[in-house]
Amino acid sequence: MAFKIASSPHINTRSLTSGVMFRVVLCLIPGIGAQTYFFGFGTLVQLALAISVALTAEALVMVLRKRPVMSTLSDNSALVTASLLAIAIPPLAPWWMIVIGVLFAIVIVKHLYGGLGHNVFNPAMAAYVLLLVSFPVQMTSWVAPQSLAINPADLNSSLQVIFSHSATMTSEYFQLGYDAVAMATPLDTIKTDLSMGLTATESLHKAIFSGSVGVGWFWVNICYLLGGLCLLKMKVIRWQISTAIIVSILICSGFGFLISPDTHVSPLVHIFSGGTMLAAFFIATDPVSAATSPRGRLIFGAMIGVLIYVIRTFGGYPDAVAFAVLLANMCAPFIDHYIRPRTYGHRSGNAL
Amino acid sequence: MLTLLEQLDKGTLWHSPGGIHPPGLKTTSNTQSIKRLPLAKEFIIPIPQVGDLATLTVKLNDHVLKGQMLTNGKGFTYLPVHAPTSGKIKAIEKRSSNHASGLPVLCCVIEPDGEETWTPLQADQASLLSNDAIINKIKDAGIAGMGGAAFPSHIKLNPASDINLVIINGVECEPFITSDDRLMREHANEIIDGVKIIHQLLKPQRIVIAIEDNKPQAVASMQKSIETLTLDDCKIRVTVIPTKYPSGGEKQLIQIITGNEVPSGAIPAQLGIVVHNVGTAYAIQDAVTNGKPLIERVVTLTGEQIGQPGNYWIPIGTPIKHALQHTAFQAQTQQKMIIGGPMMGYAIGELQVPILKGTNCILAPSNNEIGPDLPEQACIRCGECAVACPALLLPQQLFWHAKSEEFEKAASYHLQDCIECGCCSYVCPSDIPLVEYYRIAKSALKNVAHEKKQAEQAKLRFEARLKRLDDEKQAREAKSKAAADKRKQSMSSNDKDAVALAMARIAAKKKASAAEPGTESSTTANKKASVNAAIERAKAKKAAKAAQTDGPSVVIPSANTDTAVTDNTDVDPKKARVAAAVARAKAKKAAQANPQPEANLVSQSQISSVTATDSENTATPVIADSAEYAVVDPKKARIAAAVARAKAKKAAQANSPSSAQSTAEAVQIKTKQETTTETTDPLSSAVADNTQISEKTVIADSVDNAIVDPKKARIAAAVAKAKAKKLAQSQPKSHQPANQEVVSNDAVDNARVDTVQELSSSQPAIGTNEAPAMAELDDKKARIAAAVAKAKAKKLAQQQQKD
């Protein structure tokens, strides 16, 4: 009888790409939960919308590319991209924004570059930047924390706001918005206040911070940190990128805070506000667009951390994760080219 | 700081990068002691099995004994092949090989007689043997590395450098395989005896027996057998290392035990380290102490599809099918049959292949056991492969370049340092068969290197050929140059001139014959001309003597016309001659018809001579032209001569007494024309080469000839004509003989003075180019004088005729 011929090795860990991706999504759950708790059901609506659009778009592209549809869909990479974008944009952003963003991420950023494994940029972050640049008002009008909102957004009203075709409906909400439904994020508030001449300390006394780094934001970040630690534990991600990001932000902001506490917010605000933890554990660690060698990953992470701090402090945008990640993505091939581990046998060995 | 040897004694372990922890699955086969299988129906012995080419020393149908050597050979890595049992050589033919390719190789097929009769064995006590004797015994026993690589052991036991550390590899890190485990458990003493022989050969300072911590019984057994062991100047210990794949790899084990890395492209012996497998140590002991060649080994038969998994002593050459049949193997669909472990073993397609010296395991796993082969998915650059790689490579980059067939780039990522352990493929979440890509890339690089080498050789050959051709060419040139120099040296300048002249003449003649096929053969003409010239020279000399001694002669004036003509042709023969002929004809006509136009005649002569001078000035660059002229000349000259002859005949008819002389005159003219034609050739060709002094001499010579010849000729002609005129004068009664005499005397005087001047000026003119011009001036005068004289003579003649 004929026996099956195959190249060694004949055994494999049963870890699969789809499993890797799915674990990423699983580890997002605590953060998503916290976000829903503090900012209403908008996040979940966006999530559902984003995932369905992402899977549809990916299937269509695979048909167009004449590739197997199901095996590609089942690698769960579109799921991760959609989830990351959905939790990154304001929960009550109009539906067409997430649709545009996801389509851009899947079709242009991912598949036009050759599909999974070939994209230069992190699809979610590229889409986020597209939306931020194209629709700055909507993208910077974050939902007020439920506890501060006069009119907390329940599921029904969230759906209404997101899917409302009427501009008046949306605008009414946003008109009410500034104090009612939508408001600036803590980082945005600080930025605005600092530009208005307030000190950082004064700014931090505003209600949105509630004496801390921002209502809700702290816990959301803590939850993403937990999820990230789970990823580390499961060896879905390696420690270098996340650690490098957090450490570099701490160093930069600590330095700034020491020099001028009035114009620089504390490292804690930097670490636990905005998208820092999400970026450190879920976005920057996207293996496709990151550096691959351990040392390269340290450099890659440190670069993101420094860029986040620099853009937040000196740039025009309140949060800077997306820009920092994209800029670092551009450098990843360069880093990979120059930072290579020393191969076994390529050092001068000492004889006995 | 402890020295490395002290750390070895302490059992310090170093970290080796990468590696994986696959499930061991060793208990399937390691619970029972090593058993034996019934003898197979046939044994397939590949020739050679290991190393260099071997010559078979047995024939078909020969009866062989167990352990009998079947081959001989001389190569560096040659290892003999032995009969695993006694029996008959049934066939010597190509059979499928125990290799992933399954390509047929030459095999010696033995049909056992079941007697198991041993060939006589030479048992020895190792400590009494010399190292060479031991090495020879090991070599003759055909011992190759038993860990799988099957490298001839005697080479590793006879290294060029000093060995400080011997590592006995009992790691056995691949899942499923337990043959070394069982061997260490059951034959620890024999292994240690083998280690003692290795120690005797290599004299290391330390011997470390390395065993993974998942084999505690083997560790205990080995520990026990070294307890009482003492070796000279050497410490031996069992070091337990943590279980990790691929710790059993030679380089990885060295790194774990010593912390040293074997440099890329080097062998451990360069670090003073040698690694031997426990199975090899056992075989060495068996070979040296018992004289038994390596004809059987422990093979693990394992996997869920084998009903009686375990370890078996199996003779080398036993078909795998036979071993499986006796261990209750059950094939399932899509069954994989793996030789070796699941990480580095290869799948075979056919079972009728032999067990070899390096075959440590036959794995027949169920599909559940090893998992299905999943389709390859896109690389997500997760970098897990880089984490797992024990060689610290970047497998995803290697894969990227190998897949896009950028093999050179893959090589720049140290593809050649890949040990193909399979860790990267094992951890890959996208199920990419990375090792397969690397193997393809490696063989492609090997091919490229091979082709490059060939291309370089071809280039060297080509360059060598070019150089050889060039050298030959230069040698040829040098040779011919030397010959030319020699010739030059041996040649006098005259010879050379002669050669040059001859060459020029030949060229001119070629052209002449090409342009004027109708002319008579120039050679003949030349000959004739030269003969005539010689005759005339002789006559001229005589005449000159006569003229000088005898004083004024009456006949000379009429000759002067001819002289003038000849002189003209000397320089521009055609025009001059034509003009002269015309002039002569006119003169004659005039002489016949009316004795008037002396002035015309003179002026024409002058014109022609001036033209001649001009053409002479331009003669140097126009060899071809002058040659052409020379060619054309004879014809025209002949025509002119013929015309003249005809006229002369007419004149003779009219005046019969002078007819003979007229004819003679015409003939002479012709002859002179030919003579001058002859002299013009060397002149013109020589003038072309006038850069050399010797050639100037030639010019001078030829000019001299041209001068002297016409002069002499003139004199001769004058003598001839004078005779003719004497006759003419003597026959008819002259009315004015005194007048004629006076005029003639004047002319003769002039002519003689000219001639003397010419003679005197031509001697110093040798070697200069002035000679022709000088001659020209003189000629002109002479011609004028001659023409005058002639005209007068003809007048007289006419008058006489009238009278």
Side-chain angles (χ1 to χ4, degrees):
Chain A
M1 67 171 286
F3 290 89
K4 198 178 167 192
I5 302 290
S7 180
S8 69
H10 306 281
I11 51 174
N12 192 287
T13 51
R14 309 235 165 123
S15 119
L16 297 173
T17 302
S18 56
V20 170
M21 296 293 175
F22 194 68
R23 270 174 273 173
V24 172
V25 176
L26 281 183
C27 290
L28 278 172
I29 286 174
I32 293 171
Q35 215 166 311
T36 310
Y37 175 80
F38 287 107
F39 301 106
F41 290 97
T43 306
L44 294 180
V45 176
Q46 299 284 6
L47 207 55
L49 194 57
I51 290 169
S52 50
V53 171
L55 294 179
T56 314
E58 180 137 291
L60 280 173
V61 172
M62 290 325 282
V63 168
L64 287 174
R65 288 181 69 193
K66 300 187 175 67
R67 300 279 174 95
V69 176
M70 279 322 289
S71 68
T72 308
L73 285 188
S74 64
D75 68 20
N76 293 333
S77 60
L79 188 67
V80 172
T81 300
S83 305
L84 289 175
L85 186 59
I87 56 183
I89 71 165
L92 292 183
W95 64 271
W96 45 266
M97 280 180 58
I98 188 76
V99 171
I100 290 172
V102 169
L103 285 174
F104 180 75
I106 299 292
V107 177
I108 292 174
V109 182
K110 186 171 160 192
H111 281 293
L112 287 194
Y113 279 83
L116 180 64
H118 299 267
N119 46 305
V120 180
F121 296 107
N122 185 318
M125 286 304 101
Y128 182 89
V129 165
L130 173 85
L131 296 178
L132 182 61
V133 172
S134 309
F135 314 106
V137 176
Q138 288 88 336
M139 285 299 284
T140 49
S141 305
W142 195 265
V143 181
Q146 299 281 50
S147 54
L148 299 181
I150 301 161
N151 182 14
D154 56 13
L155 182 60
N156 194 26
S157 59
S158 300
L159 283 170
Q160 274 186 346
V161 174
I162 292 168
F163 285 101
S164 164
H165 292 283
S166 116
T168 49
M169 178 86 180
T170 316
S171 63
E172 266 172 31
Y173 253 97
F174 284 119
Q175 271 171 3
L176 284 171
Y178 209 81
D179 292 303
V181 176
M183 64 190 295
T185 62
L187 287 172
D188 203 2
T189 311
I190 292 169
K191 188 145 205 80
T192 314
D193 288 351
L194 287 176
S195 66
M196 287 162 64
L198 295 173
T199 64
T201 328
E202 285 168 339
S203 182
L204 282 172
H205 282 114
K206 287 198 167 180
I208 193 170
F209 294 102
S210 68
S212 169
V213 296
V215 177
W217 286 101
F218 177 75
W219 289 108
V220 169
N221 270 289
I222 290 289
C223 286
Y224 284 130
L225 174 62
L226 283 176
L229 292 176
C230 290
L231 284 180
L232 272 178
K233 176 78 185 144
M234 290 190 284
K235 293 191 175 174
V236 172
I237 60 169
R238 297 282 168 172
W239 60 271
Q240 287 93 346
I241 294 177
S242 312
T243 312
I245 290 177
I246 293 168
V247 169
S248 59
I249 290 182
L250 278 176
I251 291 171
C252 291
S253 58
F255 199 63
F257 191 65
L258 281 179
I259 290 171
S260 169
D262 281 348
T263 53
H264 290 79
V265 289
S266 75
L268 273 185
V269 176
H270 274 291
I271 293 292
F272 289 108
S273 195
T276 309
M277 287 300 167
L278 184 67
F281 288 97
F282 293 91
I283 292 170
T285 52
D286 164 33
V288 175
S289 52
T292 48
S293 64
R295 267 198 305 154
R297 283 173 171 174
L298 281 176
I299 295 171
F300 179 82
M303 198 177 159
I304 292 177
V306 171
L307 281 171
I308 287 176
Y309 175 77
V310 167
I311 298 174
R312 275 182 184 176
T313 311
F314 306 106
Y317 288 91
D319 206 348
V321 169
F323 291 107
V325 169
L326 290 186
L327 287 171
N329 285 164
M330 289 181 203
C331 301
F334 184 74
I335 294 170
D336 275 348
H337 188 265
Y338 284 101
I339 307 297
R340 298 184 196 174
R342 181 195 54 79
T343 308
Y344 177 96
H346 287 264
R347 77 168 181 208
S348 50
N350 332 312
L352 286 175
Chain B
M1 186 72 189
L2 294 168
T3 66
L4 187 55
L5 293 179
E6 284 166 342
Q7 287 189 315
L8 284 175
D9 292 340
K10 260 181 72 191
T12 311
L13 297 179
W14 276 266
H15 167 76
S16 76
I20 53 172
H21 297 90
L25 302 166
K26 296 200 180 231
T27 49
T28 319
S29 56
N30 71 357
T31 51
Q32 293 170 53
S33 59
I34 307 170
K35 295 188 287 272
R36 287 193 178 269
L37 294 174
L39 212 57
K41 297 247 177 1
E42 66 170 20
F43 287 85
I44 306 162
I45 319 291
I47 308 289
Q49 213 179 103
V50 173
D52 283 344
L53 285 174
T55 313
L56 205 58
T57 53
V58 290
K59 298 188 300 293
L60 197 64
N61 296 324
D62 275 7
H63 187 267
V64 294
L65 295 175
K66 186 175 182 178
Q68 184 184 328
M69 215 183 271
L70 301 179
T71 62
N72 64 31
K74 282 198 163 60
F76 176 65
T77 59
Y78 162 75
L79 271 189
V81 178
H82 302 84
T85 185
S86 60
K88 196 179 76 175
I89 308 285
K90 198 171 88 179
I92 298 169
E93 62 189 20
K94 286 202 166 186
R95 294 285 186 97
S96 291
S97 62
N98 179 354
H99 184 264
S101 69
L103 288 172
V105 293
L106 186 68
C107 292
C108 196
V109 183
I110 296 173
E111 187 180 22
D113 56 11
E115 302 287 322
E116 295 269 54
T117 322
W118 275 96
T119 192
L121 300 177
Q122 175 69 44
D124 280 305
Q125 203 177 334
S127 53
L128 302 177
L129 289 175
S130 72
N131 282 2
D132 285 347
I134 294 173
I135 297 266
N136 279 334
K137 280 200 94 170
I138 291 169
K139 182 180 177 179
D140 288 345
I143 295 175
M146 307 283 277
F151 184 77
S153 296
H154 66 275
I155 298 170
K156 275 167 86 174
L157 289 169
N158 195 13
S161 50
D162 281 346
I163 298 301
N164 299 311
L165 172 65
V166 169
I167 298 173
I168 302 299
N169 188 347
V171 177
E172 202 164 55
C173 57
E174 275 238 20
F176 288 102
I177 308 176
T178 57
S179 58
D180 288 348
D181 183 10
R182 286 309 313 189
L183 193 72
M184 286 189 284
R185 289 197 213 182
E186 296 173 34
H187 297 282
N189 290 330
E190 286 90 337
I191 293 169
I192 295 304
D193 285 345
V195 172
K196 282 198 278 190
I197 294 167
I198 294 171
H199 169 256
Q200 191 182 333
L201 290 173
L202 297 175
K203 301 269 186 299
Q205 295 174 357
R206 298 291 184 277
I207 294 174
V208 173
I209 301 167
I211 306 170
E212 270 187 346
D213 58 9
N214 62 357
K215 292 179 263 294
Q217 294 98 322
V219 172
S221 167
M222 294 302 285
Q223 288 277 21
K224 196 172 160 228
S225 61
I226 64 162
E227 265 171 16
T228 54
L229 181 70
T230 48
L231 297 168
D232 300 336
D233 306 319
C234 179
K235 288 181 184 169
I236 182 166
R237 61 165 286 135
V238 174
T239 297
V240 181
I241 64 168
T243 299
K244 180 166 89 170
Y245 177 85
S247 301
E250 189 176 65
K251 291 177 172 182
Q252 281 62 44
L253 187 55
I254 288 170
Q255 191 169 28
I256 291 166
I257 299 293
T258 71
N260 281 323
E261 288 180 14
V262 181
S264 178
I267 57 167
Q270 286 168 290
L271 296 179
I273 302 170
V274 158
V275 182
H276 280 287
N277 182 262
V278 287
T280 314
Y282 179 91
I284 288 170
Q285 173 274 143
D286 215 16
V288 177
T289 312
N290 304 325
K292 282 188 187 174
L294 178 57
I295 54 167
E296 63 175 6
R297 65 158 298 146
V298 181
V299 180
T300 304
L301 278 111
T302 187
E304 281 181 4
Q305 297 311 112
I306 289 178
Q308 297 159 18
N311 288 285
Y312 298 87
W313 283 106
I314 300 182
I316 309 293
T318 303
I320 284 166
K321 194 172 190 176
H322 171 82
L324 290 172
Q325 276 167 354
H326 289 86
T327 50
F329 164 65
Q330 293 263 307
Q332 58 175 183
T333 53
Q334 294 282 296
Q335 177 70 51
K336 261 189 189 176
M337 186 59 63
I338 297 163
I339 304 301
M343 292 303 293
M344 291 187 77
Y346 50 90
I348 52 167
E350 203 197 319
L351 294 185
Q352 197 61 29
V353 296
I355 280 164
L356 304 176
K357 288 172 183 173
T359 308
N360 51 8
C361 180
I362 299 167
L363 174 61
S366 70
N367 290 343
N368 293 332
E369 221 170 354
I370 57 166
D373 287 327
L374 294 169
E376 177 185 332
Q377 286 180 299
C379 170
I380 57 167
R381 295 164 57 83
C382 63
E384 287 305 306
C385 46
V387 174
C389 181
L392 291 165
L393 296 163
L394 285 174
Q396 77 278 6
Q397 300 297 116
L398 290 175
F399 159 70
W400 189 268
H401 295 307
K403 193 178 183 182
S404 49
E405 297 186 357
E406 298 167 326
F407 299 127
E408 291 296 322
K409 280 189 183 170
S412 78
Y413 279 86
H414 305 304
L415 176 65
Q416 298 304 330
D417 289 299
C418 170
I419 57 169
E420 299 180 21
C421 64
C423 289
C424 48
S425 305
Y426 178 80
V427 298
C428 181
S430 294
D431 295 304
I432 302 169
L434 293 158
V435 177
E436 201 177 343
Y437 279 105
Y438 305 154
R439 287 198 186 114
I440 292 167
K442 275 181 177 179
S443 62
L445 280 170
K446 209 172 164 185
N447 286 344
V448 167
H450 183 65
E451 279 168 17
K452 208 173 169 185
K453 205 176 162 192
Q454 281 191 322
E456 268 166 19
Q457 280 175 343
K459 196 185 166 199
L460 285 179
R461 272 201 302 273
F462 178 67
E463 280 169 353
R465 181 174 177 267
L466 281 185
K467 194 175 177 295
R468 179 170 53 78
L469 290 180
D470 196 44
D471 286 350
E472 279 173 6
K473 196 182 162 197
Q474 281 181 354
R476 257 199 322 273
E477 279 172 358
K479 205 175 156 189
S480 63
K481 203 187 167 200
D485 286 347
K486 209 177 161 190
R487 224 168 24 241
K488 246 183 219 168
Q489 279 182 349
S490 69
M491 260 195 309
S492 70
S493 57
N494 283 342
D495 289 342
K496 199 183 170 187
D497 298 340
V499 169
L501 288 175
M503 295 280 282
R505 219 162 28 232
I506 287 160
K509 275 172 206 162
K510 262 188 194 165
K511 281 199 175 157
S513 55
E516 286 286 328
T519 359
E520 59 176 304
S521 161
S522 54
T523 336
T524 326
N526 284 343
K527 252 185 203 166
K528 259 189 206 165
S530 58
V531 167
N532 288 332
I535 290 165
E536 252 132 48
R537 251 192 320 269
K539 282 182 186 169
K541 274 181 188 163
K542 267 188 195 166
K545 264 186 193 168
Q548 279 179 337
T549 50
D550 294 349
S553 169
V554 196
V555 280
I556 285 170
S558 68
N560 272 340
T561 311
D562 291 338
T563 310
V565 170
T566 318
D567 276 353
N568 284 340
T569 56
D570 187 14
V571 195
D572 190 1
K574 189 172 82 180
K575 284 180 185 173
R577 245 174 286 139
V578 170
V582 169
R584 207 159 49 231
K586 279 179 182 168
K588 278 184 183 167
K589 260 188 197 165
Q592 281 172 344
N594 73 60
Q596 269 186 346
E598 293 172 19
N600 283 348
L601 200 94
V602 169
S603 65
Q604 276 193 358
S605 291
Q606 275 178 324
I607 288 162
S608 60
S609 66
V610 167
T611 319
T613 314
D614 287 345
S615 71
E616 193 221 356
N617 289 337
T618 55
T620 311
V622 285
I623 316 158
D625 286 359
S626 11
E628 232 171 283
Y629 286 154
V631 168
V632 179
D633 293 342
K635 199 166 103 187
K636 287 189 178 169
R638 250 173 282 135
I639 291 164
V643 170
R645 222 164 20 232
K647 282 175 184 170
K649 275 181 187 169
K650 265 186 192 168
Q653 280 171 346
N655 185 9
S656 50
S658 61
S659 61
Q661 279 71 24
S662 297
T663 313
E665 185 188 329
V667 170
Q668 274 189 345
I669 289 166
K670 190 187 172 190
T671 310
K672 275 168 205 158
Q673 277 163 355
E674 279 174 3
T675 310
T676 48
T677 309
E678 217 262 323
T679 53
T680 309
D681 285 350
L683 171 68
S684 54
S685 58
V687 165
D689 277 12
N690 68 354
T691 50
Q692 288 180 15
I693 295 166
S694 57
E695 276 167 10
K696 280 184 180 168
T697 317
V698 171
I699 295 167
D701 282 348
S702 50
V703 168
D704 193 33
N705 282 336
I707 293 161
V708 171
D709 285 353
K711 197 165 71 189
K712 287 178 182 173
R714 249 179 280 143
I715 292 161
V719 168
K721 270 185 191 163
K723 282 178 185 168
K725 292 221 167 149
K726 253 188 195 168
L727 282 171
Q729 277 175 346
S730 61
Q731 278 181 350
K733 292 275 187 234
S734 177
H735 286 273
Q736 297 172 323
N739 282 346
Q740 199 188 4
E741 286 285 334
V742 171
V743 176
S744 295
N745 281 342
D746 288 345
V748 169
D749 282 343
N750 286 334
R752 204 184 60 197
V753 167
D754 289 346
T755 309
V756 170
Q757 275 178 348
E758 275 174 28
L759 282 170
S760 59
S761 66
S762 67
Q763 285 309 112
I766 291 171
T768 71
N769 288 325
E770 288 170 31
M774 295 278 286
E776 212 55 54
L777 289 168
D778 292 343
D779 286 348
K780 209 158 74 183
K781 279 180 191 169
R783 251 175 281 138
I784 294 161
V788 171
K790 203 178 169 183
K792 282 177 182 170
K794 287 207 173 161
K795 258 186 197 169
L796 282 172
Q798 276 178 336
Q799 279 175 352
Q800 278 178 353
Q801 277 183 328
K802 279 177 185 173
D803 291 342

